[in-house]
Amino acid sequence: MSPPNISPGRTGAAVVLLGAALSLVGTTWDIQWHVDVGPDTFFTLPHLLLYSGSAVSGIASLVIVIAATAATRAGRTVGPEAGGRPVRVFGTFSAPLGFLVSGVGSASFLIFGLVDLWWHSIYGFDAVLDSPPHIALFTSISITMVGAVVICGSARATRWGRTGLLISLPILMLYSPITTNAFNALRLPFDAASAGMVLFVVMLLVLGRATLARTGAATAFAAVLGAMQLALWWFAPWAARTYADAVGLPLRDDVGGRPPQVPASIPMFLLAGAVLIDLAVWLGARNHWSARWVPQVAGAVSGLLIAATFMLQELLISTRPAPVAGQFVVETLIGGAFGAFAGFLGWRFAGVLRGEQPPAAAPVLRIQEAY
Amino acid sequence: MRKALFSLLTAGILILLTGSPALAYQPVNIVHTEHVQAGPYGITVGFSVWPLRAMQSLDFTFVPDEGIVGKSGTLLRSGPAIRGRNRAAPLVRHPRRLDVWGLDVESLNAPGTYTFTFTVAGAKGTGKGSLTGLTVLAQPGPPMGLSWAICAIPSAAMIIFLVLTWRRVHPSRNLLPLAMT
């Protein structure tokens, strides 16, 4: 009888992805809880969701690393379907690259969770988003999400790999504004957090387009992200209010009229920016233009549009006052410059992701055969 | 064994769902008060930590002599860490002490002298008064540079990882073509 058609790479990817989704939902819920309700303990439901996200991803990563190590020791080759190129760790383990990254992110979350407890013992139970330990925790979660992208991107030859990438990349994009909050501490003469957000979303759209190597891929990523943004826009205030009702706490007196914080910090017009990237790459391919500059141009026009429409969005939903004309032009141009750099990085990081795992060259063996 | 585990898990979930986490929230313990006269209204300003230190979060309570019922008002804060927030915010109930106005887990992020100005409206008309000379000492803990350096380790590790993989593959030398199948 043939074994069931399930590879640990696929199961592991699904569990890491579930962990990443739990982290995103938990963070969004927790931030909304602080905005709408307030009182906090270590064991609130949004906190438990947050912790379980990293725990789920971390345990799945560890299990796959141990399974891949056992497979390698048994003399079998672990292929890219198992989550990326195997990397030797401590001379003993053979860790598929994607699971190594997601596991390191989870371990880092655990360590900086302790640093965060120490921080609260000095500074009180503050609820500021951009304290150093909080930024370290958000970066750790982002590293786990990068791991999920590497796992799925390495298996892009399979349907589950492509589907996983269509989910993991938008999750990472949705999470990026939470982390780029830290750029506000730099006190630059422009909105550094928004510029950082443009850099990450454009880079990941270009990376997704080049990794999947399909016409319209960037648009597909943006469409999935839009659906997630819409779902969180509804979920965050609903969850905060329902949980407050359940534990008998009232909403803050000054709640009302403000959009949910995390979903509102994602560009609503990203789809248009993604269409521009797809269009530029399609035109470039059709006219045999050079890949040395087309991704940068694609990124620049997308960055210009996203930066300009993001200011419009903030004005529409009243999260910041209307920019004066000069500031509008400067921030749009900064978005274009960051977009160009993002295009450069995104196309080349896709090269790294694809180059690490040439699917045709690497011998593929599902590690289930080691069991 | 399986039955015992199931019972334990069920009990755990039930405790989580039915226990009242509200009871576990830290009470607002006022350790120092100041008095402000805002026209006809006396206001007691309470602090859960004293003296104040930069970046250390605490609970503030603002209690009019005859309670908050039938009154409304605004609070305008000014001082070294209050930048671009020169609009008065409405006085709202403290989320963990609903009988008084307040601010929960708020910090003043730079040392120096601060002023809290209250405008209160009620049956006796409108009154305005300020708490001046509110001193905030230097921040506790290690210097921020050191805290940021430690907490930048995950970002630095990510950047090092990306540089190493970049150098391994040389994506600019082996650039992906625009037209791929």
Side-chain angles (χ1 to χ4, degrees):
Chain A
M1 202 174 95
S2 63
N5 188 24
I6 295 172
S7 86
R10 182 168 76 178
T11 312
V15 181
V16 169
L17 210 50
L18 172 73
L22 286 174
S23 298
L24 171 67
V25 174
T27 311
T28 308
W29 185 1
D30 189 42
I31 290 173
Q32 201 60 38
W33 173 262
H34 285 290
V35 173
D36 287 354
V37 188
D40 207 16
T41 70
F42 188 74
F43 292 108
T44 62
L45 269 187
H47 280 176
L48 292 179
L49 213 60
L50 251 174
Y51 311 145
S52 61
S54 286
V56 164
S57 300
I59 291 167
S61 305
L62 189 64
V63 168
I64 294 292
V65 168
I66 291 169
T69 303
T72 309
R73 284 195 170 185
R76 301 179 193 279
T77 311
V78 177
E81 269 187 71
R85 173 176 64 87
V87 180
R88 293 293 284 178
V89 183
F90 303 133
T92 307
F93 295 100
S94 177
L97 185 64
F99 287 104
L100 176 64
V101 174
S102 59
V104 166
S106 299
S108 172
F109 182 88
L110 190 66
I111 292 165
F112 282 95
L114 297 175
V115 174
D116 191 40
L117 278 180
W118 163 77
W119 182 270
H120 288 312
S121 73
I122 294 176
Y123 292 101
F125 212 23
D126 59 344
V128 291
L129 262 184
D130 49 2
S131 71
H134 284 176
I135 294 299
L137 288 171
F138 298 148
T139 313
S140 303
I141 290 174
S142 302
I143 290 173
T144 297
M145 291 172 174
V146 169
V149 169
V150 174
I151 294 165
C152 299
S154 301
R156 65 192 174 279
T158 66
R159 181 184 283 182
W160 72 258
R162 293 190 295 275
T163 310
L165 199 61
L166 266 174
I167 299 168
S168 58
L169 209 60
I171 286 179
L172 180 59
M173 288 160 79
L174 273 165
Y175 213 77
S176 62
I178 301 174
T179 316
T180 56
N181 246 314
F183 296 162
N184 283 329
L186 298 174
R187 303 208 188 288
L188 297 176
F190 57 92
D191 184 349
S194 294
M197 179 273 295
V198 170
L199 177 78
F200 280 112
V201 294
V202 173
M203 182 178 78
L204 294 171
L205 282 175
V206 171
L207 181 143
R209 167 64 184 83
T211 303
L212 279 188
R214 293 190 179 200
T215 307
T219 309
F221 284 113
V224 173
L225 183 140
M228 289 181 182
Q229 182 184 18
L230 214 59
L232 288 177
W233 199 292
W234 164 81
F235 172 79
W238 173 83
R241 280 148 211 229
T242 306
Y243 185 41
D245 277 350
V247 297
L249 285 170
L251 298 181
R252 288 182 188 277
D253 286 346
D254 52 350
V255 166
R258 273 178 299 185
Q261 190 162 330
V262 172
S265 60
I266 308 291
M268 292 171 178
F269 301 93
L270 195 71
L271 200 63
V275 169
L276 286 180
I277 289 170
D278 276 331
L279 200 63
V281 175
W282 177 74
L283 275 175
R286 206 172 155 207
N287 296 304
H288 307 291
W289 294 337
S290 170
R292 299 231 159 262
W293 57 267
V294 169
Q296 287 89 308
V297 173
V301 290
S302 181
L304 283 170
L305 181 96
I306 293 171
T309 52
F310 190 63
M311 277 181 278
L312 189 71
Q313 166 182 336
E314 288 187 309
L315 188 62
L316 278 174
I317 58 178
S318 314
T319 48
R320 81 168 185 186
V324 291
Q327 185 196 358
F328 182 83
V329 172
V330 168
E331 300 228 351
T332 302
L333 290 175
I334 288 170
F338 273 68
F341 185 49
F344 172 86
L345 288 177
W347 199 264
R348 281 153 183 82
F349 278 137
V352 172
L353 189 54
R354 292 178 69 98
E356 281 280 357
Q357 288 300 328
V364 176
L365 190 88
R366 287 176 178 165
I367 58 178
Q368 72 185 40
E369 292 173 32
Y371 294 132
Chain B
M1 177 67 183
R2 190 177 288 183
K3 209 170 172 183
L5 270 177
F6 179 75
S7 310
L8 207 66
L9 198 68
T10 313
I13 290 171
L14 277 176
I15 288 169
L16 263 180
L17 290 180
T18 57
S20 175
L23 293 176
Y25 297 120
Q26 223 174 22
V28 181
N29 292 323
I30 298 303
V31 298
H32 178 83
T33 58
E34 297 278 342
H35 188 265
V36 177
Q37 194 62 41
Y41 309 104
I43 302 172
T44 304
V45 181
F47 304 85
S48 68
V49 170
W50 193 264
L52 302 184
R53 291 178 201 282
M55 297 181 61
Q56 197 169 43
S57 58
L58 67 148
D59 291 304
F60 295 86
T61 55
F62 313 124
V63 194
D65 287 345
E66 288 149 11
I68 61 172
V69 178
K71 298 187 187 73
S72 64
T74 59
L75 167 65
L76 177 69
R77 285 178 286 174
S78 60
I82 313 291
R83 262 188 284 264
R85 273 192 286 165
N86 48 6
R87 276 182 305 171
L91 283 164
V92 292
R93 288 177 302 161
H94 191 291
R96 281 176 289 121
R97 264 209 63 185
L98 297 167
D99 56 330
V100 301
W101 289 324
L103 298 169
D104 63 317
V105 286
E106 278 272 326
S107 60
L108 297 163
N109 291 335
T113 307
Y114 290 77
T115 301
F116 280 20
T117 301
F118 299 88
T119 307
V120 177
K124 297 178 190 166
T126 302
K128 190 172 180 175
S130 293
L131 173 65
T132 54
L134 185 60
T135 304
V136 175
L137 306 175
Q139 65 157 102
M144 279 305 276
L146 180 62
S147 296
W148 274 117
I150 292 168
C151 293
I153 290 173
S155 310
M158 191 71 218
I159 292 168
I160 291 169
F161 164 74
L162 292 174
V163 168
L164 288 178
T165 50
W166 184 292
R167 287 175 59 139
R168 194 183 132 84
V169 177
H170 296 291
S172 281
R173 216 180 288 162
N174 311 305
L175 203 60
L176 291 177
L178 292 175
M180 291 181 284
T181 50

